[in-house]
């Protein structure tokens, strides 16, 4: 039996069988053969290029360069995905006063590209107002600014960096219409002017903060103030650990103003008559603070 099996194996090798499987038990022995063919097809799927040169014009029209072999494009806007066949898309109809993260990928029947890098869209209406304020790097308190009627703050950018990044993290708070900026953050900056972009739910506005080196009390809006007929003048002070004593000049009396929570309010009933004869005049009002046994005196200039 062994000789017969050996002869069979030799015969099969002579006729070109390359793979032999031998099954055996006590009574029978079976053999089988198969030929394996290796594929020589090395064709790989065509990978589409990622859309590039993505830009947006002043009318909020998004555009990008065409991608070879792409038949359409997917635009991812936050969690929404939109399919387009062109290489542009109008974003102006989207809801204003929001931030949007935008990515684009190219696709065809068989393949798709990677998404492009995230592009941030700031779709905000412009609040036509710039607030100019002052802050002393010698202050021991945070910076405070009253922002009434603008809605909630979504973010504040300093040097165009989002405030939730490591570089600008947690430098501001907004509660009860009062913006506060961290004293430690502001005092770390050199003396000079700084532009903060404030994004409200109603639009975007600029706040300029000039850092100074005062050691005594000062009004954060500066010494020159504008008054509208019939409206009170409201001034926030950084009192620098001093105590407010009062105002003087131009016949002003104690009943013409209040000073609470570092906010000085001068009644319009006191100011309006002073402008009747000469609306272009400057009204000078002195203010006085004390610190220990010392007295600090300065003045405000009120204009129409």
């Amino acid at each position: 039996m062994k000789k017969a099996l050996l002869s069979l194996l030799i015969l099969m090798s002579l006729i070109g069988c390359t793979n032999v499987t031998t099954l055996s038990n006590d009574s029978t022995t079976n053999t089988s053969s198969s030929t394996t063919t290796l594929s020589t097809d090395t064709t790989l799927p065509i990978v589409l290029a990622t859309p590039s040169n993505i830009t947006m014009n002043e009318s909020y029209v998004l555009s990008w360069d065409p991608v070879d072999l792409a038949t359409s494009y997917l635009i991812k806007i936050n969690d929404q995905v939109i399919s387009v066949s062109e290489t542009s898309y109008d974003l102006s109809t989207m809801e204003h006063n929001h931030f949007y993260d935008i990515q684009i990928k190219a696709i065809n029947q068989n393949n798709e590209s990677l998404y492009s890098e995230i592009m941030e869209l700031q779709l905000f209406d412009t609040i036509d107002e710039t607030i100019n304020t002052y802050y002393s790097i010698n202050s021991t308190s945070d910076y405070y600014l009253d922002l009434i009627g603008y809605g909630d703050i979504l973010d504040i950018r300093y040097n165009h960096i989002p405030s939730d990044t490591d570089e600008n993290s947690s430098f501001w708070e907004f509660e009860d219409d009062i913006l506060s900026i961290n004293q430690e953050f502001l005092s770390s900056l050199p003396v000079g002017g700084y532009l903060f972009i404030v994004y409200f739910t109603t639009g975007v506005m600029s706040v300029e903060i000039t850092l100074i080196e005062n050691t005594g009390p000062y009004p954060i809006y500066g010494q020159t103030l504008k008054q509208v007929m019939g409206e009170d003048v409201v001034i926030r002070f950084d009192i620098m650990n001093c105590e407010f004593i009062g105002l003087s000049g131009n016949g002003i009396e104690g009943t013409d103003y209040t000073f609470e929570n570092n906010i000085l309010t001068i009644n319009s009933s006191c100011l309006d008559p002073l402008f009747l004869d000469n609306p272009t005049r400057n009204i000078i009002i002195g203010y006085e603070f004390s610190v220990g046994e010392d007295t600090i005196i300065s003045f405000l200039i009120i204009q129409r």
Side-chain angles (χ1 to χ4, degrees):
M1 183 66 178
K2 291 182 179 180
K3 290 182 179 181
L5 179 59
L6 179 59
S7 299
L8 178 60
L9 291 174
I10 294 172
L11 178 61
M12 292 176 67
S13 65
L14 291 175
I15 63 175
C17 294
T18 59
N19 189 11
V20 178
T21 302
T22 303
L23 302 175
S24 64
N25 54 33
D26 292 341
S27 59
T28 61
T29 301
N30 297 323
T31 62
S32 64
S33 65
S34 64
T35 302
T36 302
T37 303
L38 297 177
S39 173
T40 59
D41 184 6
T42 58
T43 303
L44 297 176
I46 298 174
V47 178
L48 296 180
T50 302
S52 60
N53 195 28
I54 302 171
T55 59
M56 184 173 58
N57 63 21
E58 295 180 354
S59 299
Y60 300 108
V61 174
L62 190 70
S63 61
W64 57 94
D65 289 344
V67 174
D68 289 342
L69 303 180
T71 56
S72 60
Y73 302 88
L74 295 182
I75 305 174
K76 185 178 181 182
I77 305 174
N78 289 351
D79 295 328
Q80 180 184 11
V81 177
I82 300 169
S83 177
V84 298
S85 57
E86 304 294 330
T87 56
S88 64
Y89 186 74
D90 186 357
L91 298 168
S92 63
T93 58
M94 298 176 62
E95 186 176 357
H96 284 213
N97 302 322
H98 288 278
F99 293 101
Y100 295 99
D101 288 338
I102 297 174
Q103 294 175 283
I104 304 173
K105 72 161 54 175
I107 61 174
N108 62 22
Q109 185 176 0
N110 300 313
N111 300 291
E112 61 183 37
S113 73
L114 298 175
Y115 269 114
S116 61
E117 295 290 330
I118 293 176
M119 175 182 181
E120 183 185 68
L121 167 63
Q122 302 172 7
L123 192 57
F124 283 82
D125 299 322
T126 300
I127 299 174
D128 191 18
E129 180 179 0
T130 298
I131 297 178
N132 298 285
T133 61
Y134 294 84
Y135 180 80
S136 174
I137 61 173
N138 297 312
S139 179
T140 57
S141 65
D142 292 341
Y143 166 93
Y144 294 98
L145 180 64
D146 302 279
L147 295 170
I148 301 172
Y150 298 103
D152 291 332
I153 294 179
L154 300 176
D155 196 14
I156 297 178
R157 304 285 173 91
Y158 157 69
N159 281 351
H160 306 289
I161 301 174
S163 62
D164 58 357
T165 61
D166 290 340
E167 182 175 345
N168 282 349
S169 60
S170 304
F171 72 77
W172 65 274
E173 292 183 0
F174 187 66
E175 186 175 356
D176 296 331
D177 295 326
I178 298 176
L179 168 65
S180 62
I181 297 181
N182 183 270
Q183 179 267 342
E184 183 177 352
F185 170 76
L186 288 175
S187 297
S188 68
L189 303 175
V191 170
Y194 295 88
L195 181 65
F196 292 79
I197 308 300
V198 184
Y199 295 89
F200 292 96
T201 53
T202 57
V204 60
M205 181 175 67
S206 299
V207 174
E208 294 183 3
I209 302 178
T210 300
L211 299 184
I212 56 179
E213 294 183 290
N214 273 40
T215 56
Y218 63 93
I220 70 165
Y221 297 113
Q223 288 182 289
T224 302
L225 307 166
K226 294 288 186 180
Q227 191 251 350
V228 177
M229 180 177 289
E231 295 185 6
D232 298 341
V233 170
V234 180
I235 313 124
R236 178 179 284 277
F237 274 80
D238 187 342
I239 64 173
M240 303 288 286
N241 297 318
C242 298
E243 183 178 351
F244 178 75
I245 296 177
L247 302 182
S248 61
N250 279 287
I252 195 167
E253 299 179 354
T255 56
D256 295 327
Y257 61 87
T258 60
F259 192 86
E260 297 179 357
N261 298 321
N262 299 341
I263 297 176
L264 171 65
T265 302
I266 304 176
N267 300 332
S268 63
S269 59
C270 163
L271 297 173
D272 287 344
L274 299 177
F275 285 106
L276 285 179
D277 294 335
N278 184 4
T280 61
R281 67 176 293 194
N282 291 330
I283 297 175
I284 299 177
I285 295 178
Y287 62 82
E288 188 173 350
F289 285 83
S290 66
V291 52
E293 297 182 356
D294 297 328
T295 300
I296 300 172
I297 299 175
S298 191
F299 60 90
L300 301 170
I301 300 174
I302 301 176
Q303 301 173 337
R304 275 282 166 86

